Amino acid sequence: MSRARHKPATPEARPATPAVIPDVRPGQSIELLKELHILTRDGKLNQDSRRKLKQVYHLYNFIEPLLDEVMSARGDLTLADHGAGKSYLGFILYDLFLKALASGHIYGIETREELVAKSRELASRLGFERMSFLNLSVEDSMRSAELPERIDIVTALHACNTATDDAIRFALEKHARFIVLVPCCQAEVAATLRKHKNDSFGRTPLSELWRHPIHTREFGSQITNVLRCLLLESHGYQLTVTELVGWEHSMKNELIIARATGQRRGNARERLEQILAELNLDDLRERFVY
Ligand SMILES: C[S@@+](CC[C@H](N)C(=O)[O-])C[C@H]1O[C@@H](n2cnc3c(N)ncnc32)[C@H](O)[C@@H]1O
């Protein structure tokens, strides 16, 4: 599969017609960009929407090579996007990559019925036939017959609280080849730290990190992602953990990309267990150790 086809045209390569909007890729659906409020109603890019488009391309640039790799390997691909919301990630991936191909399917999983209905309507209007939207929780989607057995790529972009953890479990059950996560805030770990605070003060000086609520929240959020990474590594995934540049207006800009290699990191599970014990987080064993 040639990736050149998906690259944005350079300004010189674009035909100089008034219909061409700078930064919008050839063939990209203008209607979709308007629906996503990336283009204004009159089809223009303002400073704000240009920044938004840059962010979308930035994320797309991380995911495109994964789509390419799966497509090249098996001539088909399935992608499940958890906590899809308005499904803008799924729509962009479809528009920029899958639309031009004859195969490949994107599934958006979302608990809010009205968002699912809206996405269905938009996909139908745009003729994006290989997109499905399921009104399910991530947890229920694991047992849903509406999803195929094989899911190659799992994404979860700011899926609320523990929905990211459910997306990880889903991906592991489906033996996904790639997992792309931009975690949202996770309140569960911070709440557990707080619950055992008094006991922890006598056990570890690290408990100073959860003396003040703001530190507890931030530390809880960081340690959650560390535990998620160890869990993935213990299941044979190799990780890239980086910052989603362009999302600097959001505190939640950590990007975790996991690639299945089948090689489990030797001490990942042991480290996980040690961290849970050290931080008095044994209540969360089921969430992170399996
Ligand atoms: C912050 S929004 C992010 C939406 C989208 N991924 C994005 O980045 O624009 C989180 C979405 O996850 C959905 N959600 C929360 N918990 C969920 C769960 N357990 N299963 C499925 N969807 C969930 C919410 O309804 C919401 O639409």
Side-chain angles (χ1 to χ4, degrees), residues 29-47:
S29 165
I30 300 297
E31 196 178 349
L32 173 64
L33 293 175
K34 281 189 195 171
E35 285 288 339
L36 301 180
H37 302 290
I38 288 174
L39 285 181
T40 59
R41 291 225 170 274
D42 50 359
K44 297 216 171 76
L45 270 174
N46 56 34
Q47 207 178 347

Side-chain angles (χ1 to χ4, degrees), residues 83-85 88 109-112 115 136-138 157-160 163 166:
Y88 89 88
I109 292 143
E110 168 57 52
T111 41
R112 283 177 59 190
L115 296 182
L136 291 171
S137 68
V138 183
L157 182 58
H158 292 155
C160 310
D166 293 340

Side-chain angles (χ1 to χ4, degrees), residues 7 39 52 58 95 130 150 174-175 178 188 191 220 223 229 232 268 273 275 278:
K7 290 272 173 270
L39 285 181
K52 229 189 263 179
H58 185 68
D95 194 35
R130 286 169 285 117
R150 181 174 194 153
K174 296 278 185 188
H175 305 289
F178 294 106
E188 197 185 37
I223 207 72
C229 288
L232 289 166
E273 302 263 20
I275 292 173
E278 171 82 14

Side-chain angles (χ1 to χ4, degrees), residues 55 58-59 61-62 157-158 180-183 222 225 240-257:
Q55 290 173 352
H58 185 68
L59 182 58
N61 287 340
F62 281 104
L157 182 58
H158 292 155
V180 180
L181 307 169
V182 182
Q222 291 292 330
N225 289 342
T240 304
V241 182
T242 186
E243 191 182 13
L244 196 53
V245 183
W247 254 262
E248 50 275 296
H249 63 285
S250 166
M251 300 276 284
K252 301 158 213 149
N253 60 355
E254 181 171 332
L255 172 68
I256 301 172
I257 300 178

Side-chain angles (χ1 to χ4, degrees), residues 225-238:
N225 289 342
V226 170
L227 295 169
R228 286 166 172 161
C229 288
L230 287 168
L231 169 62
L232 289 166
E233 287 176 316
S234 76
H235 279 266
Y237 284 81
Q238 188 184 63

Side-chain angles (χ1 to χ4, degrees), residues 186 189-190 193 215-225:
Q186 208 258 31
V189 169
L193 291 174
H215 294 159
T216 317
R217 197 184 64 213
E218 293 304 309
F219 178 67
S221 184
Q222 291 292 330
I223 207 72
T224 302
N225 289 342

Side-chain angles (χ1 to χ4, degrees), residues 101-167:
L101 305 177
S103 58
H105 202 111
I106 291 182
Y107 297 86
I109 292 143
E110 168 57 52
T111 41
R112 283 177 59 190
E113 200 176 349
E114 74 282 11
L115 296 182
V116 172
K118 227 176 149 224
S119 294
R120 283 180 183 150
E121 188 276 318
L122 180 59
S124 149
R125 186 149 41 95
L126 296 172
F128 289 4
E129 287 170 0
R130 286 169 285 117
M131 288 191 90
S132 306
F133 302 93
L134 310 180
N135 187 201
L136 291 171
S137 68
V138 183
E139 196 181 359
D140 289 343
S141 72
M142 288 182 221
R143 291 172 296 280
S144 168
E146 291 179 272
L147 281 163
E149 269 310 300
R150 181 174 194 153
I151 295 287
D152 299 299
I153 304 179
V154 170
T155 57
L157 182 58
H158 292 155
C160 310
N161 199 9
T162 53
T164 300
D165 302 297
D166 293 340

